[in-house]
Amino acid sequence: MAATVASSLQLMAARPFLSFSPGVVKAGAAILCSNPKTVLWLKLTSPCNISSLNAFRHGFRSSTVKFIKVVTKAMSESNENKPVSGLPIDLKGKRAFIAGVADDNGYGWAIAKSLAAAGAEILVGTWVPALNIFETSLRRGKFDESRLLPDGSLMEITKVYPLDAIFDNLDDVPEDIKTNKRYAGSSKWTVQEVAESVKQDFRSIDILVHSLANGPEVSKPLLDTSRKGYLAALSASRGSSISLTYIASERIIPGYGGGMSSAKAALESDTRVLAFEAGRKHKIRVNAISAGPLRSRAAKAIGFIDMMIEYSKANAPLQKELSADEVGNTAAFLASPLASAITGAVIYVDNGLNAMGIGVDSPIFKDLNIPSDKH
């Protein structure tokens, strides 16, 4: 892509960290993330945009208010010559790498769809142990319904790369991982190797999405978390292109342990620092998305995602279902020139739950006439 893209790019991240070598991320690229590993990816571009996301989601339904689902308008060739109403998000000619896509029901997939609907070319990085089943499902058409875009076409994934964002390079990989059966048959899956492969295959990318998170001891309280588990959470769950963060970075969420709350706080801090450093040096924007609870496969590992969804439904200002598409559309906006003045920000996509200072479902409020969809 031409250097003229340099001023309108954004990189986004949502889980473990990704780093690309110089020249891979084009100037003007968009990045959602923040982590030292992201620097590798940043070197692949000059001016770009970085944004981070936080993840969790689910739904609410309101009987008193009607909410209209907004779908990103696809800017594909099929409707290229048709007049477009409104203010479209146009990412035609841009190439996006989304790290952390292993199925069709998480935020990473939704972000990929929104970017594709806006015209971007899609590359994904999939955790090595999940690679075979993901590629098989994709090949056999099991995801075809989920791949459907607003214009009736199917999202195309140009290439799937094996990826384990825990490891910067092969020297970091312990022997038990190298010989693990789940990694057999795959190669070049460390951060540095993936960055080099993408550079060799495509020369550069414009949008980097970090949709990874790893907390091996997430079910443990912080007091009981080992140093290894804590550092693993910090390593994989901080920074990158489009990153996903969570309200636990600034509020106490009992049960969200293993150092994950610390990792999200670090991610948001890195987002602000990188926004300044990458902005001044490369004209790159860096942002994060803090999403509400979503019953994704990854979220189920926490063990109480259903309870978090019910809590959000009872206490969020908007009592409606939160969909992965709403996070995906936000990422598409942040990656587009429409968000050219937004950097260093944490964008909340959680039906407003972050604004609440206390749970309104508390018995202390039983005598107050608080509007609710239960009425």
Side-chain angles (χ1 to χ4, degrees), residues 155-211:
M155 174 178 68
E156 295 293 337
I157 298 178
T158 301
K159 188 165 183 177
V160 179
Y161 291 87
L163 170 68
D164 192 326
I166 292 292
F167 308 107
D168 285 346
N169 53 61
L170 203 56
D171 292 337
D172 295 337
V173 183
E175 195 61 32
D176 63 320
I177 295 294
K178 291 179 180 179
T179 58
N180 191 303
K181 291 188 300 182
R182 298 195 297 172
Y183 286 74
S186 295
S187 61
K188 298 182 178 180
W189 41 260
T190 64
V191 170
Q192 184 176 356
E193 290 174 313
V194 173
E196 291 172 350
S197 294
V198 172
K199 184 176 181 179
Q200 181 177 349
D201 294 341
F202 300 97
R203 297 188 62 184
S204 65
I205 60 174
D206 304 290
I207 300 169
L208 176 59
V209 177
H210 179 270
S211 182

